[in-house]
Amino acid sequence: MLRITPILLAVLYALVMYRISVWRTHRELDAKSTELADPTLKLMTDRLAAALDLARIPVYIYEIDPVNGLAAPDGRIFITRGFYRKFRNGEVTAEEMASVIAHELGHVALGHARRRMIDFSGQNALRTALIIILNRFVPLIGVWIANGLTALLASRLSRADEYEADEYAAALLTKAGIGVGPQKSLFEKLEGLTQQRAGVAPAWLMSHPKTGERIAALEELEARWDTGD
């Protein structure tokens, strides 16, 4: 029993962290967001809604500066104030913003948004258990090994989700008559849009596939559609 106690404690820790994470996320988003009221972007979301047989797709502005789109565990879609500012400045088109919204809808429809919250808690539990176990055999460096392994796992899971959401968005954008073009053109802009300081890698690169690989995957998808595969 004593041998499995650390693992049981890690599982309990994960459950507690999950509940705390959900509560904090809801509180943060509720406090710092308002529903988007842009007539041009509403035309885009109405097209996406029609393609999904929905009355409307509410989108919210999350009042932070980093350029990003978010899918909350409760199914709400957010774009950050920084991203919306890029649109208002003419750096991003309405169709490209629609591709962001479609991508986040993919995360919701495919269960990624809720699963990511669970994964986060599970990764914390795994990290805790690994630290406890590894420190028995390799004191001092056990924590570094545990952090590296869990970070690698999280990165691989996140990148797989991104490819799936890209494919969902491509299908939705095509059905809505917007097409995959804006999705690919936005990918080409992303690094410049999210770059904060010269020589510093954008945060989204840490958990997202490389831009060229995402565009290549979309082109392969289009080719399969063209051949009827």
Side-chain angles (χ1 to χ4, degrees):
M1 181 65 183
L2 290 177
R3 291 183 179 180
I4 66 171
T5 296
I7 298 175
L8 293 176
L9 290 174
V11 171
L12 178 60
Y13 171 77
L15 293 173
V16 172
M17 283 300 298
Y18 171 72
R19 296 309 308 169
I20 292 174
S21 296
V22 170
W23 175 74
R24 284 180 174 173
T25 298
H26 280 282
R27 188 179 68 168
E28 169 79 7
L29 293 175
D30 288 345
K32 294 186 177 181
S33 65
T34 54
E35 188 167 349
L36 174 66
D38 185 291
T40 302
L41 292 183
K42 187 177 184 304
L43 292 175
M44 294 291 109
T45 59
D46 284 349
R47 291 172 70 175
L48 296 178
L52 292 170
D53 293 323
L54 298 175
R56 62 189 290 265
I57 297 175
V59 178
Y60 299 83
I61 294 283
Y62 181 27
E63 298 292 344
I64 59 173
D65 286 331
V67 172
N68 208 348
L70 306 166
D74 62 6
R76 287 181 294 171
I77 304 300
F78 297 82
I79 57 173
T80 63
R81 175 62 67 181
F83 216 152
Y84 181 63
R85 193 178 295 123
K86 298 292 185 182
F87 165 68
R88 295 289 294 173
N89 291 342
E91 298 174 66
V92 178
T93 68
E95 289 79 9
E96 288 169 341
M97 291 300 292
S99 77
V100 177
I101 295 168
H103 178 89
E104 299 307 326
L105 285 169
H107 282 310
V108 173
L110 297 170
H112 298 163
R114 185 174 295 277
R115 192 184 74 203
R116 281 179 175 184
M117 188 68 73
I118 297 172
D119 284 348
F120 172 75
S121 302
Q123 288 154 20
N124 279 335
L126 176 62
R127 183 184 294 110
T128 301
L130 284 173
I131 289 172
I132 292 170
I133 295 169
L134 290 173
N135 275 342
R136 295 180 179 180
F137 302 98
V138 281
L140 301 180
I141 66 170
V143 63
W144 299 103
I145 297 174
N147 286 338
L149 289 174
T150 50
L152 179 62
L153 173 63
S155 177
R156 293 191 66 177
L157 289 173
S158 181
R159 292 186 181 196
D161 286 353
E162 294 306 317
Y163 280 120
E164 290 180 2
D166 285 348
E167 186 168 337
Y168 178 97
L172 176 56
L173 291 165
T174 300
K175 186 176 181 181
I178 298 171
V180 182
Q183 196 176 6
K184 293 190 288 187
S185 64
L186 181 63
F187 286 157
E188 293 172 346
K189 296 178 181 179
L190 268 180
E191 186 168 354
L193 292 172
T194 56
Q195 192 81 38
Q196 298 299 314
R197 299 187 302 276
V200 179
W204 63 270
L205 279 177
M206 300 299 290
S207 60
H208 288 61
K210 293 180 181 179
T211 298
E213 293 174 356
R214 296 178 80 175
I215 293 174
L218 287 175
E219 291 175 344
E220 182 180 343
L221 181 66
E222 289 180 290
R224 292 205 310 268
W225 287 345
D226 289 340
T227 59
D229 291 344

